[in-house]
Amino acid sequence: MSTRPLTLLFLLMLAGSVIAGDDEPALLAEARSVATAVPPKLLSVLQQEIARGGFEGAIAACRDFAPRLAAQASADSGWHLRRVSLKNRNPRAVPDAWEREVLEDFDRRVTAGEPAAGLERGAVVEADGRREYRYLKALPTQELCLACHGSAEQVSPAVRSRLDELYPDDQATGYVSGQVRGAVALRRAL
Ligand code: HEC
């Protein structure tokens, strides 16, 4: 009889702490805005470098500038950022289990007709004793990407041989426009 108010109090405290600790809509909005700011910057540098040095010259932009942008955005925002892909070029872009599951879901949704551009997922994830907010935003394959991520006919011999030198285990070709090339992955400890 007297345990009921206590139980109620306990439940209220629990609910209060969950709400205070994880304001999920706010976390989602913040992660989305950090993730959305990065790709346009990369795209404009990529376009400049392609205009200047062709696709072969632009490889350096993707290789050096993209990680620098991610590091800068991480330092500025307090979120850890990186790029991931199910068919990665950089060996560091291999997704972990949670990221893999989300990327596979993105692929299924694109196959079912959803546009890749709008795909995202945010969630509170607990693993290895850590609670984090994690977020993935899909990076759609565009026409421009195909010179370095498309079919064997679309990737020139010069680009192919440079990619082979830099990424002997490259898996990131064979894409067509509209597919999910990868994602921007964010995480922050809660
Ligand atoms: C000039 C060649 C070139 C073009 C054009 C290009 N990429 Fe890449 N991409 C690369 C290289 C090189 C890497 C490996 C970068 C690194 O070492 O981190 C890469 C890596 C990536 C990654 C990280 C995951 C992985 O596979 O390592 C993503 C995501 C990606 N590119 C998406 C795109 C998208 C989307 C476009 C078009 C908007 C695009 N790329 C256009 C050369 C290119």
Side-chain angles (χ1 to χ4, degrees):
M1 32 132 231
S2 65
T3 58
R4 203 170 289 155
L6 271 181
T7 309
L8 189 62
L9 184 65
F10 176 73
L11 284 175
L12 281 172
M13 282 166 62
L14 193 68
S17 73
V18 168
I19 290 162
D22 310 335
D23 184 350
E24 288 204 40
L27 286 162
L28 175 64
E30 199 183 315
R32 181 188 292 137
S33 94
V34 173
T36 309
V38 175
K41 289 186 197 158
L42 181 59
L43 198 61
S44 79
V45 170
L46 206 54
Q47 278 162 338
Q48 268 169 36
E49 291 302 309
I50 291 167
R52 227 171 43 173
F55 286 102
E56 203 190 334
I59 290 175
C62 223
R63 182 177 169 79
D64 304 327
F65 192 67
R68 243 191 293 151
L69 265 185
Q72 187 62 50
S74 297
D76 291 347
S77 68
W79 291 81
H80 179 267
L81 267 86
R82 67 183 194 124
R83 295 192 298 175
V84 292
S85 174
L86 290 172
K87 294 200 305 165
N88 57 297
R89 174 159 290 164
N90 188 310
R92 285 194 306 256
V94 176
D96 67 15
W98 187 80
E99 291 161 342
R100 175 170 299 278
E101 194 269 308
V102 176
L103 286 167
E104 285 170 354
D105 179 57
F106 287 172
D107 278 351
R108 273 193 297 273
R109 288 161 65 181
V110 167
T111 306
E114 268 186 72
L119 297 178
E120 63 169 3
R121 170 106 64 96
V124 174
V125 177
E126 290 194 53
D128 307 323
R130 292 198 300 177
R131 289 184 81 248
E132 292 179 309
Y133 192 80
R134 304 192 63 175
Y135 175 84
L136 246 66
K137 179 172 181 54
L139 293 167
T141 307
Q142 305 171 32
E143 282 302 315
L144 166 81
C145 319
L146 300 178
C148 299
H149 292 295
S151 67
E153 295 76 49
Q154 289 168 314
V155 179
S156 75
V159 167
R160 186 65 268 169
S161 76
R162 185 77 184 121
L163 290 175
D164 287 342
E165 273 171 46
L166 296 169
Y167 308 96
D169 300 321
D170 184 20
Q171 302 178 62
T173 53
Y175 284 90
V176 299
S177 219
Q179 285 182 322
V180 174
R181 171 63 268 277
V184 186
L186 276 73
R187 60 202 301 172
R188 196 168 86 180
L190 292 174

